Structure formats: C-alpha cells, structure tokens
Amino acid sequence: MGTLVTTRSVLHLRDVGLDDVPTVGGKGAGLGELLRAGIRVPTGLVVTTAAFRQTVEHLTSSGRPIPARVAALDPADAEGLAAATAEIRAVLESAPPPDEVAEALTAAYAALCEECGDPDLPVAVRSSATSEDSAEASFAGLQDTYLWVRGADSVLAHVRRCWASLYSVESVTYRLRRGIPETDLGMAVVVQRMVDARSSGVLFTRSPRTGDKSVVAIDASWGLGSAVVGGDVTPDSFVVSKVTGEIRRTVATKTRWHRPDPSGHGVVETDVPAELQDRPSISDAEIAELVAIARRVEAHHGCPQDVEWAVAESAPAGGEVFLLQSRPETVWAEKDRARTAAPAPRPFDHVFDVLGGKRSSEG
C-alpha cells in the first residue's frame, strides 16, 4: 500500500501503516502497521501532521516563524536554549488551533466514544513525531504522553501539549546535535483507548544486555506501563529462549504502581498491596503469549523490536494482551552497523603490528 497523502486533520489508526510516517509520525504509523498485521492494539485515531503544520504555520516566537527560530539555536547555549524553548512551548499550548482542526478532532473523538460504547471514553494522548521510532533515531521519551484523558476539550488541550513537547529542551537539543532539519519535522498525536492494565511493561526481541537474538527479554510490573518506562519500579524480569521456551526468572519486590486516578482523570502512583509485591506480575501463559506475539511482530518487520505491552485488568491468565507500541531496537542495531562498516583486516596485518607497524623489506 502506498503512502497516504492527505490534508485531513484526523485519521483512524486502521487506515494507516508504515508508509505513512510523514502523515502520522513514527508511533502512529507503527500502531497502524500492527493492526494491519493482525496484532491486538487498542483502537484509536491520529491527529495528523497536517493539523500540526496548519496550527504552527501562522505562529511566531520572538517575531520569527517557529521552525526558523529553532534552527538558529545553538545546542551548546543551555541558557538561551531553555529560554527559547520555554517561549515556543507557551505559544503552542496557549494558541487555539484553527476551527476546522478543533471540529475534526471533536467529531473523531465522539466517533471513537461511540465505537467503544463509552460516551466519556478514557484515552491516552501520545506524541508521534515524524522522526520518531525509526531504526536510525529513537525519540523515545523525548516527547509527551498523557494517560487517562477524558472529554473532547481535555483531549484537545493535551494534543496541544504534545505539539508543544516537540520543543522541549531535550528534544530540540537532540535534533540540533543530530542535524535533523526542522523543515522536515512534524508532530502527529495518537489518541488511543486506554487499557485498564492489570500488568504491563516492555519487551525486546533480542537481549538488551548482550544483543543475543535467540531470546525475548520481558520486563513486567503491576498496573500501568508508565511505572516501568519511567523507572519508578524495579520490574520482574523474564528472559525466554526462542528455541526451547525456557524461562529465566527474576521476580522483584514491586512496591509502587501507577493506577487510574479515582477521579477518572489522570494517573496516580500508590503503594502496591502487600500480597502482590512479591508475586510475579504475569503468568506463564501470558509470558508465552507475549513471546508468540513478539516473534510475529519481529518477523513482520524483519528486525529486532522494542515493544510496549499491557494485559487488561479483566483478562484471565493468558487473556487479552495488547501491544501499545513497537519500534526497531536501536542500541544493538547501531553496534551491528558499526561492526559492518569497520574495514576488514588485511592478511598478515597482525604480523605488521608485531613489527611495530612497519612492513618488512623482505618478501
């Protein structure tokens, strides 16, 4: 399927895939591709880069268009960078989007509520930059995600916060140092039904410690995955052989978890009940399902993956496992590329090294 070229402000996740990164960003494209591959993903929509650019194009910071101002910043000037990015974020968070963007998002959220049978559907609002989640550059953690957002007005406000997070100090510094042009950049935003997660975490289809491609490495904890991703809990660790299915387990004492705020809006961090703290947060059946899904995703993409997942609160053992994100693993991939690019040693180079780097005049 070819690239979807559109000026529409909002698209459904089922209508996009990996070819559509310029329109829906890395996260949106990856989620749509998972749906196309038959993987269980929470339903949702994407506010497109067209909506972002339509909003940003008439905004200025200190009298200059925002992209031009960012491109002129010096990544070594920490004070100047902090001041400029704070001003840009304030402009984006406070400026209302064009009426057609706001109307399209309001209508799409209402349709999503109807699809899920909940008139006040809780959603995750997740940034999806166009240079995000590629094999060459991972923007993971540099832009914002908001959980348990309800109501059209709140969704729109959090979409604007995601747009603004493209101009955080960390994100701008990352782009400037890697030479990523501002003119090529866009921010889409995924608005996705929340999974009321009993357990969640991350997994890699190769070992993040050793690079071993014969295992799946799973980190898991109770509650929402934000606790694992944010480093607020020491998770359980399961390393599973793709060949034999053998599981190496490390069950941690998990004292904190992230749960939906009782008010129905946002997330709170509280103590894990004592009876759960030292129990494995996922069953063997769920581990087996995660491994099976991970192998399908890796085969679909043709490279090792970095995956976020959740098990629904109401799921029985081995029940509803959802993938929340899948992107190419980057750390070991970069090491592999570096090894491939290194020149191969010539025959007898080790002899020349022993001789002090000088070639013998004989032979």
Side-chain angles (χ1 to χ4, degrees):
M1 189 172 293
T3 302
L4 177 65
V5 179
T6 183
T7 57
R8 291 172 58 188
S9 296
V10 183
L11 295 168
H12 199 285
L13 276 177
R14 62 173 171 258
D15 296 326
V16 303
L18 284 185
D19 290 337
D20 303 312
V21 171
T23 298
V24 297
K27 188 179 283 96
L31 289 166
E33 190 69 20
L34 289 173
L35 282 171
R36 288 181 176 178
I39 305 298
R40 189 185 288 118
V41 172
T43 188
L45 54 92
V46 189
V47 184
T48 66
T49 55
F52 168 76
R53 292 191 174 106
Q54 189 178 351
T55 302
V56 168
E57 66 182 8
H58 67 280
L59 300 178
T60 62
S61 173
S62 294
R64 302 178 68 183
I66 287 175
R69 178 150 192 223
V70 172
L73 294 173
D74 178 359
D77 178 9
E79 186 175 338
L81 200 67
T85 54
E87 180 185 320
I88 291 167
R89 291 197 308 276
V91 168
L92 269 169
E93 288 186 18
S94 61
D99 288 345
E100 61 192 86
V101 173
E103 290 166 5
L105 177 55
T106 299
Y109 174 71
L112 188 63
C113 290
E114 185 175 354
E115 176 187 341
C116 297
D118 184 343
D120 195 29
L121 183 72
V123 292
V125 182
R126 313 173 68 194
S127 62
S128 181
T130 53
S131 294
E132 182 176 341
D133 293 352
S134 70
E136 290 75 32
S138 176
F139 277 34
L142 295 185
Q143 276 88 52
D144 286 352
T145 287
Y146 299 94
L147 304 179
W148 233 262
V149 178
R150 292 178 185 267
D153 289 345
S154 184
V155 169
L156 182 56
H158 285 87
V159 165
R160 285 156 56 183
R161 292 182 187 179
C162 284
W163 286 341
S165 73
L166 188 62
Y167 300 101
S168 69
V169 170
E170 296 82 5
S171 185
V172 169
T173 301
Y174 182 90
R175 298 200 299 272
L176 290 171
R177 288 182 173 163
R178 292 188 72 111
I180 298 172
E182 291 297 309
T183 52
D184 294 346
L185 200 66
M187 172 68 88
V189 181
V190 173
V191 177
Q192 192 174 20
R193 179 178 70 84
M194 279 296 309
V195 175
D196 187 3
R198 188 199 76 221
S199 308
S200 54
V202 298
L203 68 80
F204 294 85
T205 63
R206 71 189 297 183
S207 169
R209 296 179 182 274
T210 67
D212 182 1
K213 293 183 180 180
S214 71
V215 301
V216 173
I218 303 171
D219 283 349
S221 193
W222 298 113
L224 301 173
S226 50
V228 176
V229 174
D232 295 327
V233 65
T234 299
D236 297 332
S237 173
F238 307 94
V239 180
V240 187
S241 169
K242 295 176 182 175
V243 179
T244 66
E246 178 187 359
I247 305 172
R248 298 200 307 271
R249 313 163 190 271
T250 305
V251 177
T253 299
K254 301 165 290 293
T255 58
R256 304 288 285 174
W257 61 356
H258 290 185
R259 301 288 291 162
D261 191 305
S263 71
H265 297 267
V267 174
V268 293
E269 180 181 336
T270 60
D271 291 332
V272 174
E275 65 272 17
L276 295 180
Q277 291 184 5
D278 294 307
R279 278 179 50 191
S281 51
I282 49 177
S283 68
D284 282 5
E286 288 159 353
I287 291 170
E289 184 172 357
L290 282 167
V291 170
I293 294 170
R295 297 191 70 178
R296 284 177 59 194
V297 173
E298 182 178 54
H300 180 80
H301 287 291
C303 65
Q305 296 290 297
D306 169 358
V307 177
E308 296 178 19
W309 56 269
V311 179
E313 176 76 58
S314 58
E320 285 191 313
V321 176
F322 290 86
L323 292 203
L324 309 179
Q325 188 164 332
S326 187
R327 52 184 171 244
E329 185 278 337
T330 56
V331 174
W332 285 98
E334 287 184 4
K335 292 179 180 179
D336 290 346
R337 283 193 292 272
R339 282 194 291 266
T340 302
R346 295 173 297 175
F348 308 118
D349 272 358
H350 64 288
V351 177
F352 302 146
D353 291 340
V354 171
L355 294 174
K358 298 180 181 179
R359 290 178 181 272
S360 169
S361 60
E362 300 177 5

